[in-house]
Every structure is written in structure tokens, then in C-alpha cells.
Amino acid sequence: MAAHVVEAGERVLRRRRRVWIYLVLVGLAVFFLFPLVFMFVSSLKPDGQILSDLGGWRAFLPLGDISLRNYAGVFDRVPVGRFLLNSVIVTVAIVGAGLVVNSMAGFAISRLRWTGRGVVLSVVIATLIVPFETIAVPMVYWVSQLPTLVFQHGQVEYDFGWLDSYQVQIIPFIANGFSIFLFAQYFSTIPTAIDEAARIDGAGWFTIYRRIAVPLSGPAFATVAILTFLPAWNQYLWPSMVVQDENLRPVMVGMQYFFQDNTAWGEVMAYTSMITLPVLVVFLAFQRAFVSSVAASGVKG
Amino acid sequence: MKRKSLSIIVAAGLSAALALGGCARASQDSAGAPGEITMWTHSAGNPGELAVYKQIIADFNASQHQYKIVQQNFPQGSYNDAITAAAAAHKLPCLLDMDGPVMPNWAWAGYLQPLGLPDSLINSLLPTTVGRYRNTVYSAGYWDAALSIFARRSVLDKNNIRIPTVDKPWTLDEFDAAVTTLKANGYATPLDLGAADTGEWWSYAYSPMLQSAGGDLINRGTMKSADGALNGPDAVTFFTWFQQAFTNKWADNSGPVGNQRFIDNKVALSYTGVWNAKDALAAVGGDLLILPPVDFGKGPKIGGGSWQWGISAGCPNADGARAYLKFSFQDSYLTAFADSQVVIPSTASAAAASKYFSDTGALHQFAVLSQKFALARPATPGYPVISSTFEKAAKDIMNGAEVKSTLDTAVQAIDTDIKSQNNYGF
């Protein structure tokens, strides 16, 4: 009987503790949601009201003169559909090609035995300490001198200069030192006995990479995909420098369209809501995979 | 299987190499087709301004058949990065606009060639809309902007504060007394100086106050040192006042940027620009006062020099670019810019035709302020460094740093930069 009472008391205590934990978690979730709520709510308000509501709870509530005018204003000011399409093309290409190129490089460094691979890995890691801003201007010069094929007058011709193109936004960012390092680390955890068995069965290195290493490295691929997706989607400085044609600009450069002498804050919020939505959808759709991949690969974002 | 894949790759590679070796170089180079004049603006996202450009370009292209203007628009925030990158890649457009104070740096860096417009045209423009570097005109603009102090007549009358005029602006003592009175009578922060803003705004907004007090950003006679100008007794006196304006809670840096606090009547006086006048007029109506800047001792001053047009050094169609610019400086276009953007037209005749800036226009006062008090920022290639150094020093002082030593450090940074660039050719 006494044991029964003690057990019931412990159950109540456990329940109370859980309620408190959930309250704290809900509080934290609300805290982290504030910026998003502010953004979406402000996208429905006129500029003056956004600024007047700052500093109070009204900033987070859809009160006052609520409308979709800011969204209409965004379409008047910015070719938002075109910018979104460009960002999707650039991001998908960088992430997709990056997974292939970097995993192959990581595999070569981790599994193949060749002279100088340690030095190569060191050089790859050393690239991580060079800030992009320091090499941006020289890179502009280089890409402006690179040869390219041009299709015009019904035939293939060549020219020099990659400015104003998709490839200039994609190719420099496919190979990524951190991704190579991460793949190399992950592949090194796969037992080498599997490679040896495959070699005995007649498999070449590419077959081992494709049929064995890749299927066993799902978490590493997911992690690299996440870590390269966001910087690719958020590219700003590089496209500002190398893309002059409005039809090729990505979404983040479009953000600057709203910062005139008088900033159209309502339209800024509407635009950011529109360009954040795809990222949120991707995150929500793959939330479980993201969390498990980060946990499995031991990388924090 | 493996060999088949390899042979496909090799075949594809050979085909690509053969195609590349056999094909001709594309005929169109970066300068565009013959007679094509590339033109970059900082106006992306500004439909009013772009509409006027579209009209000018359509009219110019239709007026002759020798040249064709091809326009590209960039957002203002990334425009200078695009220009710097294009210069590095030798891909600058023929025609480019630029913020007035940046022009000397671009001219010194070899981006620009002398403008070469007729003297009669240059002389008809407001002096601050003409960009001169080492006695040569490199740029000219369709408009200028101006700063003033916004106030409500009813508020000043209620507090028995004299309304200053262009001929008799507030002295510093009067101004101090006015903000003290306003603070005592209900305004927790009576003055919005715009200190929440960042970047070049700081030198645009506050260096005229320093100049009104007798200091400056640099010794303009030589352009070789800021010593004595930025850290002399007049500068120390001004920055001591500037610091006290914040410690006395006359002003703060809490924002938001813009003029909303004045519109909401949370501040009584707002130091802001012509670009906020239309909204203020709509909100406050006839009660709005557009007041001259404070006289800190050597006469009121405001910053001059807004966006201007230049021709790149490597432009293959410079004559065409000049023909376009000459064509574009028609009063009807200047008035259209002025009324769509609420900026001060660069000619008196265009101002006379403007809805806002004619003698009877609601914002005529800005044209007067610009004519009487505007002072261009120092025309030196070192201005970008001067400006960022000034911003850092002024912010440090606002936050309580010791005035003289902070200014000495700023002078040292500016002078070091000038020396490292061989005095920028001065």
C-alpha cells in the first residue's frame, strides 16, 4: 500500500516536472519564433505603423491597418519570381554538384593510397582560414578572363569572361574545403575490410565509392547538403560583383532594391517573408533528416 | 562496363576539345555593338527615378541613329561593389552614376575621364551638383539633396521659442535653450539627430555642424592632413557639445532611422533631409516648419553633393556618352526627377517649374537652404577613409569617449592613409 502511494507520488512529480519542461520549451520556441512572427506580421502593415508599433507587443500582432499591399508593392519593385528562380537554379546546382565533387574528393583522400594525400588534405583545410572577402576582387578578375562557349548565330563560338552568367555563380562554390574534410572524415569511419572484400570481388574504386561508400554515408551527405544550401541561398557579395544583368540576379541582391533614401520597411518584410518561405518549407519537410544527420555526423550548424 | 564508361568520357572530352578548337571567337565584346553606350544606374528598386531615365533614353535614342543607350540598373546598396568589381575586370560601362563625394576617389583610381560638357551647361548648375577634382569637372548631377530641421509651428509657439529664418538662424545658445525648454515641457527626447543611422550619413549630417563651428574633416588648402581641422580647438568645442547633446538626453541613438518619431510627435525637432519632407508634409500639413540649420559660430552649413553622372575612362563611345548627357540635362527632365524623387533640381529654371521647389512650392525652402548653406565634402580620393574614420570617432564620442584623444586618433588614421597613398597626388 505504502509502495503504491510512493509510486503515485512519483508519477505526479514526474508529470509536474514534464509540465515545467514543456513550459520552458514552449517559452523558448516562442522566443525563437519572435523574429519570424515580427517579419510576417509587419509584412501586412504600412511603413509608419511598423515603426510606430516598435517597442511594444503590437509589433508582433496583426493589428491596425492590415492588408496585402506590401506584397503587391514587392512585385511592382522587384522581379521576385525571376530572382527566386535564379536562386533555386544556383542553389540546387551548387548543392548537387558539390555533393558529387566533394564526396569524390573526400573519398580519394580518405580511401585511396597515393603520395601526398596528407599534404593535399592539409591544403584543403588551410583554404578554410581564408575569408572569401579577401579573394573576391582577384577572383572577379580571374573569372572575367576565363574562356566560355557562346551559342549565337546558330553556331558555337568562344569568348572570354564569365561575368553575367549562371556558371560564375555556381562553379567557384562547388568545391568546398569543409565539405571535402567532412566527407574524408566520415569515409574514414567505414571499415577498410569492406573495400578489400570488394576489390577481391573485382570492384574498381569508383564502384566502391558508388556502391559502398555513398550508400553508407547518408548522414554525411545530408549534413553537407544542409551546410552548403544556406550559404548558396544567401549569396550576396559575389553576385553583386559579377552579375550585371537583372535577369540573372539571386534573391539576396534583390533585398537591396528596397533600401532607398526612404526604406520601404513593409515591402522589405513582405519580400523577406517570400524568400524565407522556401527555406522554411525545405527545413520543415526534412526536419527529421536534418536533426538525425547532424547528430550522426557530429557537426553542429 | 568500366571501360565503356571511360571510353564515353574520353570521346566526350575529345568532342568538346575539337568543338572549342574549331569554333570562332564570338563577335560581340564587352563594349557592346558599335554605337551602343552602356549605362549603369544605382536606381534599381526606384520606379519613379527609373521612369524618368526610361523617358530620357527613349527620347535620346529616337532623336538620332548614331548611338543607342543600353541601361543596367543596380540596387544602391551593392552598386559601389559592382563598380569596383567591374573596374577590376576592365568591364566598366560608358556612363555611370556615383555619389558625389566618391567621385574624386574614382577619378584618382582612373575609372573616370573628364566630363567635357560645355561650360555654359556646367555653369548653369548648382555648384554642389558639379563634381570637381583637381580643378577638372568629372561629374554632374540632375539634383541635390539638403538637410534641415523639421519642427511644428504650434509646438514652438506654445513654448515661446523663436522661429529661426535663413537670415537669422538659431545661434547655438538659442538652440540649447530651445531643446532645454522642450525637454522640460514634455518631450523626453526633444531632438532626433538621426544618430541611429550608419555609414556615410554621419559625415554627411554632422561634418557640416563641425564646419559651422570652424573645424573640418581635412585641411582643404592642401588636402594632405586632417591635423588642426578635425582635432583643433573648434572641433573639440563642437564635439564636446555633440557629446553633451546625448548625455543631456536631448538626443539619442535609439532610432528608428527616418522621420517617424517626428511624425508621431515623439520628438519636437528632427534633423533630416528633403527626402522625408513629403511624408512630413502629409502628416503635419501647414504646421510643418522647415528650419535652417543651427549656426555653431561660423554660419550655418549643410552637406552638398548627391548622385552625379560621369564617363568611364575606357569608354569607346565617349562622344556619344557626352551627347547623351548633354541631351539629358533638359529642364523638363530635371523637373521630372525633382517632383518624382522630391530632390532639389540642379538648375534654377527647372526649380521654377517644379511642383515642390518653385517659389510657391511647399518645399521651396530646401532650394534656398541648398543655395545659401551647402558645402561639398572635401574633394579628395581619401574621402572614403575620412568618412569611415569620422563616423567611428563621432560614435565613440557620442558613447562617452574622451573628445580630444579620440579626435587625435582619428587624425592619425586619416593622415596615415593619406601618406600611404603618396598624398593622393596632391
Side-chain angles (χ1 to χ4, degrees):
Chain A
M1 178 70 181
H4 198 69
V5 171
V6 169
E7 205 175 284
E10 275 178 2
R11 251 203 319 271
V12 171
L13 272 176
R14 264 206 304 274
R15 199 173 298 145
R16 269 190 201 156
R17 198 179 304 148
R18 194 173 298 159
V19 167
W20 277 110
I21 288 170
Y22 274 103
L23 277 176
V24 171
L25 289 176
V26 167
L28 281 172
V30 169
F31 181 75
F32 284 110
L33 274 175
F34 269 163
L36 284 176
V37 172
F38 174 76
M39 179 178 75
F40 284 118
V41 167
S42 298
S43 73
L44 305 171
K45 297 178 181 176
D47 291 347
Q49 197 187 322
I50 294 171
L51 298 174
S52 300
D53 286 353
L54 284 177
W57 284 102
R58 288 180 66 90
F60 301 99
L61 299 172
L63 301 173
D65 183 7
I66 297 300
S67 76
L68 293 173
R69 276 194 298 269
N70 291 327
Y71 287 88
V74 166
F75 284 95
D76 287 344
R77 200 187 286 263
V78 176
V80 63
R82 182 80 219 181
F83 288 0
L84 275 168
L85 176 68
N86 292 337
S87 277
V88 168
I89 291 170
V90 169
T91 305
V92 167
I94 289 175
V95 173
L99 288 176
V100 174
V101 169
N102 296 317
S103 63
M104 285 175 133
F107 183 81
I109 288 170
S110 163
R111 310 299 280 196
L112 274 63
R113 305 208 165 276
W114 43 281
T115 311
R117 66 179 182 149
V119 175
V120 169
L121 183 61
S122 303
V123 171
V124 166
I125 293 169
T127 62
L128 300 178
I129 62 170
V130 182
F132 176 71
E133 288 75 7
T134 60
I135 57 167
V137 172
M139 265 179 71
V140 171
Y141 178 75
W142 294 339
V143 296
S144 74
Q145 306 299 319
L146 289 173
T148 184
L149 291 177
V150 181
F151 297 93
Q152 65 177 24
H153 313 309
Q155 57 184 4
V156 181
E157 297 177 336
Y158 73 92
D159 202 349
F160 290 95
W162 280 17
L163 302 183
D164 262 350
S165 63
Y166 281 122
Q167 79 248 30
V168 77
Q169 300 179 67
I170 295 167
I171 291 175
F173 301 98
I174 291 176
N176 181 304
F178 185 71
S179 301
I180 293 171
F181 172 69
L182 202 135
F183 276 120
Q185 288 296 102
Y186 199 88
F187 288 143
S188 67
T189 63
I190 300 171
T192 52
I194 300 177
D195 295 5
E196 285 154 14
R199 298 281 291 173
I200 290 166
D201 287 345
W205 283 114
F206 186 70
T207 305
I208 294 171
Y209 160 78
R210 190 164 58 94
R211 296 273 176 84
I212 298 171
V214 173
L216 288 174
S217 308
F221 276 84
T223 304
V224 168
I226 298 160
L227 294 179
T228 49
F229 171 82
L230 276 178
W233 184 262
N234 290 334
Q235 275 202 64
Y236 172 74
L237 178 64
W238 183 247
S240 296
M241 297 172 87
V242 296
V243 178
Q244 292 140 15
D245 184 348
E246 190 173 58
N247 289 321
L248 293 166
R249 283 183 193 146
V251 287
M252 285 305 159
V253 178
M255 179 73 90
Q256 281 294 342
Y257 279 50
F258 302 93
F259 291 95
Q260 307 292 327
D261 286 333
N262 286 309
T263 302
W265 287 112
E267 290 179 17
V268 168
M269 296 301 166
Y271 184 72
T272 46
S273 298
M274 289 159 82
I275 65 174
T276 306
L277 219 52
V279 182
L280 280 181
V281 168
V282 167
F283 179 78
L284 291 175
F286 298 102
Q287 187 175 189
R288 205 171 289 272
F290 286 174
V291 174
S292 63
S293 72
V294 169
S297 61
V299 173
K300 288 173 187 160
Chain B
M1 176 76 181
K2 193 171 63 178
R3 277 183 191 157
K4 200 172 170 187
S5 303
L6 189 66
S7 60
I8 288 169
I9 291 167
V10 170
L14 277 174
S15 306
L18 284 171
L20 193 60
C23 68
R25 181 162 188 194
S27 55
Q28 193 173 352
D29 63 15
S30 62
E36 211 168 74
I37 296 170
T38 47
M39 168 177 157
W40 288 7
T41 79
H42 76 288
S43 312
N46 190 335
E49 202 166 302
L50 289 177
V52 184
Y53 279 125
K54 195 175 167 191
Q55 186 63 52
I56 299 173
I57 291 167
D59 292 350
F60 176 75
N61 287 345
S63 72
Q64 45 75 52
H65 299 292
Q66 199 177 353
Y67 305 110
K68 186 183 173 205
I69 303 290
V70 179
Q71 184 187 9
Q72 292 275 19
N73 305 308
F74 296 76
Q76 184 173 329
S78 58
Y79 181 69
N80 286 358
D81 291 336
I83 292 287
T84 307
H90 306 297
K91 303 273 183 187
L92 279 174
C94 257
L95 285 160
L96 61 162
D97 69 349
M98 68 207 82
D99 201 4
V102 173
M103 180 279 292
N105 187 278
W106 290 6
W108 168 77
Y111 298 180
L112 304 174
Q113 59 177 284
L115 198 59
L117 290 180
D119 287 347
S120 56
L121 170 55
I122 295 297
N123 293 336
S124 71
L125 304 176
L126 271 174
T128 49
T129 61
V130 177
R132 284 189 173 83
Y133 168 58
R134 305 192 75 183
N135 298 320
T136 302
V137 174
Y138 280 92
S139 60
Y142 304 128
W143 66 77
D144 203 354
L147 289 172
S148 83
I149 298 171
F150 289 10
R152 285 172 169 82
R153 180 183 294 277
S154 56
V155 170
L156 297 194
D157 286 347
K158 189 178 153 197
N159 289 281
N160 294 317
I161 295 169
R162 180 180 76 84
I163 295 172
T165 63
V166 169
D167 295 326
K168 201 178 174 203
W170 276 329
T171 63
L172 188 55
D173 287 343
E174 271 185 296
F175 183 63
D176 288 355
V179 285
T180 305
T181 303
L182 291 165
K183 186 165 176 62
N185 291 321
Y187 287 98
T189 310
L191 172 65
D192 186 355
L193 281 172
D197 211 338
T198 56
E200 213 264 326
W201 161 258
W202 276 71
S203 39
Y204 175 64
Y206 309 128
S207 70
M209 294 180 177
L210 168 68
Q211 288 143 4
S212 174
D216 207 339
L217 294 167
I218 191 170
N219 295 301
R220 292 190 189 223
T222 63
M223 295 287 190
K224 289 180 181 173
S225 171
D227 193 27
L230 186 54
N231 60 351
D234 290 335
V236 172
T237 303
F238 163 69
F239 274 107
T240 304
W241 174 88
F242 186 74
Q243 191 172 58
Q244 282 170 357
F246 292 92
T247 50
N248 291 344
K249 304 252 190 289
W250 293 344
D252 63 24
N253 63 338
S254 64
V257 174
N259 199 36
Q260 192 62 36
R261 290 200 291 177
F262 175 75
I263 287 174
D264 293 342
N265 203 19
K266 288 177 181 165
V267 298
L269 305 171
S270 178
Y271 181 58
T272 189
V274 63
W275 54 88
N276 280 321
K278 205 168 141 190
D279 286 348
L281 205 57
V284 181
D287 202 20
L288 178 69
L289 291 171
I290 296 163
L291 304 177
V294 177
D295 182 357
F296 283 80
K298 306 278 196 253
K301 297 276 185 292
I302 55 172
S306 187
W307 286 83
Q308 298 169 359
W309 281 94
I311 301 172
S312 66
C315 173
N317 282 325
D319 287 342
R322 257 176 219 112
Y324 166 78
L325 283 182
K326 196 177 161 195
F327 180 89
S328 70
F329 273 92
Q330 293 181 36
D331 280 348
S332 58
Y333 299 137
L334 304 192
T335 305
F337 277 123
D339 288 344
S340 75
Q341 296 309 109
V342 196
V343 285
I344 303 156
S346 55
T347 66
S349 43
S354 161
K355 180 169 69 173
Y356 295 114
F357 298 99
S358 66
D359 290 352
T360 53
L363 306 179
H364 174 69
Q365 173 81 334
F366 280 105
V368 175
L369 296 178
S370 185
Q371 283 158 7
K372 286 191 105 70
F373 302 134
L375 178 65
R377 278 147 285 181
T380 164
Y383 180 75
V385 172
I386 293 174
S387 177
S388 58
T389 307
F390 178 87
E391 180 189 4
K392 184 185 177 305
K395 280 183 173 170
D396 286 348
I397 289 168
M398 174 184 74
N399 291 320
E402 202 276 316
V403 173
K404 179 72 170 88
S405 61
T406 306
L407 294 176
D408 287 342
T409 305
V411 166
Q412 197 178 6
I414 291 168
D415 286 5
T416 302
D417 173 67
I418 292 171
K419 280 196 183 71
S420 73
Q421 299 294 343
N422 291 324
N423 296 331
Y424 286 109
F426 284 106

